[in-house]
Amino acid sequence: MSKHWRGAWQHVWVIGGSTGIGAETVEQLARQNIAVTVSARSVEALQDLEARFDSVTALPLDVTDEAACRDAVAHFETLPDLVIYMAAVYAPMGLKNYDAEKARWMMTVNYAGVCNILDPLMPAMCAAGRGHIALVASISGYFGLPMAAGYSPTKAALHNLAESLKPELEKQGVAMSVVNPGFVRTRLTDKNKFQMPQILEVDDAVGRMLTGLARRKYEVIFPFPFAAIIKSLRIWPRSWVFRYTRTLTK
């Protein structure tokens, strides 16, 4: 995919950039000599990225630590043009293996971590009158899919959060986007024991995401048509929807 986003930003902060989609995002940006600050809990992985690219700066961060998130935002003398939150954890979960502790763990990282970042970040961006916040959710946030009983609710929460904040942020000159990928081949999706329709390679997924964000789209969703089908489930009659999703449990 061509780099339609080349030159769109001078400085990007990638939160959750040590592996998978996050690490690939850092690499694609750094190859274009864009300054990247990358955060995650894994100090070793961050140091590796920092050593490989002159334009990458490591900023270790545990997003579940509210005070650490405030300190991380305060670290910047000038805020990044774009902040991408993609820190996430995932465990397949359905009826037979439902686990409250794992469900809380996913909500803590995938949703509460976003809240910890937004609390100091939004006032700072609004005071500057500029900036762009992108939350990486998932197409599973549109509808509760089988084996995603712990994960889907965390992504649905991000959808609602972004929808609530976007109008007010826009008035202050700050853009808000939600990225909704389908299945992407990473160590997280390697846990799935079912067929994943239209699964994308990670470099392809990141290229699509960055292209959409460069256009400042609110909703960046891919790949079609699978993503469109899942999104449309929200408006189908409930009897049709559950007839369809029952087939996914086989």
Side-chain angles (χ1 to χ4, degrees), residues 5 17 51 57 89 92 97 99 108 121 130-131 137 174-175 209 212 239:
W5 47 266
T57 301
V89 291
N97 66 338
D99 185 310
T108 298
L121 179 64
R130 54 175 289 275
V174 180
M209 175 184 72
S239 60

XYZ file of all heavy atoms in Angstrom, residues 5 17 51 57 89 92 97 99 108 121 130-131 137 174-175 209 212 239:
125
model
N -0.046 8.632 3.821
C 0.070 9.419 5.040
C 1.436 10.086 5.175
O 1.691 10.771 6.149
C -0.183 8.520 6.250
C 0.569 7.213 6.191
C 0.091 6.021 5.710
C 1.918 6.957 6.606
N 1.052 5.047 5.809
C 2.180 5.597 6.362
C 2.909 7.747 7.164
C 3.404 5.006 6.647
C 4.133 7.171 7.452
C 4.372 5.812 7.192
N 3.203 0.081 21.904
C 3.952 -0.099 20.663
C 5.074 -1.108 20.713
O 5.963 -1.072 19.868
N 16.906 1.591 19.593
C 18.245 1.336 19.056
C 18.235 1.195 17.543
O 19.219 1.520 16.868
C 18.825 0.081 19.696
N 11.945 7.389 20.272
C 12.293 7.607 21.671
C 11.400 6.736 22.547
O 10.169 6.759 22.407
C 12.092 9.081 22.073
O 12.904 9.904 21.234
C 12.457 9.302 23.529
N -5.004 -6.105 25.748
C -4.808 -7.519 26.080
C -6.054 -8.270 25.628
O -7.134 -7.691 25.478
C -4.564 -7.719 27.585
C -3.216 -7.147 27.987
C -5.673 -7.085 28.420
N -9.475 -15.300 24.469
C -10.766 -15.815 23.996
C -11.613 -16.232 25.196
O -11.104 -16.851 26.137
C -10.372 -17.026 23.139
C -8.933 -16.819 22.805
C -8.344 -16.090 23.961
N -15.573 -21.020 29.331
C -14.351 -20.569 29.991
C -14.455 -19.133 30.481
O -13.449 -18.435 30.598
C -13.148 -20.718 29.051
C -13.232 -19.803 27.830
O -14.308 -19.357 27.458
N -12.093 -19.530 27.216
N -14.369 -16.056 32.695
C -13.504 -15.839 33.847
C -13.579 -14.362 34.223
O -13.126 -13.495 33.476
C -12.071 -16.233 33.478
C -11.095 -16.154 34.645
O -11.073 -15.116 35.318
O -10.348 -17.125 34.858
N -9.497 -3.302 32.333
C -8.534 -2.406 32.969
C -7.529 -1.856 31.955
O -7.233 -0.658 31.929
C -7.784 -3.130 34.103
O -8.728 -3.520 35.107
C -6.729 -2.234 34.728
N -4.333 14.157 29.003
C -4.023 14.508 27.613
C -5.018 15.494 27.028
O -4.630 16.459 26.343
C -3.977 13.236 26.754
C -3.689 13.440 25.270
C -2.298 14.030 25.050
C -3.817 12.104 24.503
N -4.898 22.134 19.464
C -4.501 21.285 18.344
C -4.273 19.868 18.850
O -4.155 19.623 20.041
C -3.198 21.798 17.703
C -2.058 21.965 18.693
C -0.753 22.345 18.032
N -0.207 21.234 17.276
C 0.545 20.271 17.821
N 0.818 20.256 19.113
N 1.032 19.309 17.075
N -4.192 18.941 17.885
C -3.878 17.556 18.220
C -4.897 16.588 17.664
O -5.963 16.979 17.176
N -9.845 0.430 18.536
C -10.879 -0.440 19.081
C -10.874 -1.730 18.264
O -9.832 -2.355 18.100
C -12.237 0.262 19.049
N -9.348 19.782 18.528
C -8.717 18.470 18.701
C -9.556 17.409 17.987
O -10.765 17.318 18.210
C -8.578 18.108 20.198
C -7.925 16.730 20.356
C -7.766 19.171 20.919
N -8.917 16.616 17.142
C -9.613 15.565 16.395
C -9.645 14.270 17.207
O -8.718 13.978 17.972
C -8.919 15.317 15.062
N -4.616 1.788 8.493
C -4.901 2.636 9.644
C -4.293 4.020 9.472
O -4.976 5.047 9.640
C -4.356 1.990 10.919
C -4.508 2.856 12.163
S -3.755 2.131 13.640
C -2.002 2.344 13.257
N -6.065 6.202 6.880
C -7.316 6.770 7.395
C -7.090 7.895 8.381
O -7.786 8.918 8.360
N -33.590 -11.455 15.724
C -33.732 -12.875 15.408
C -32.762 -13.287 14.303
O -32.180 -14.382 14.343
C -35.172 -13.193 14.996
O -35.544 -12.436 13.849
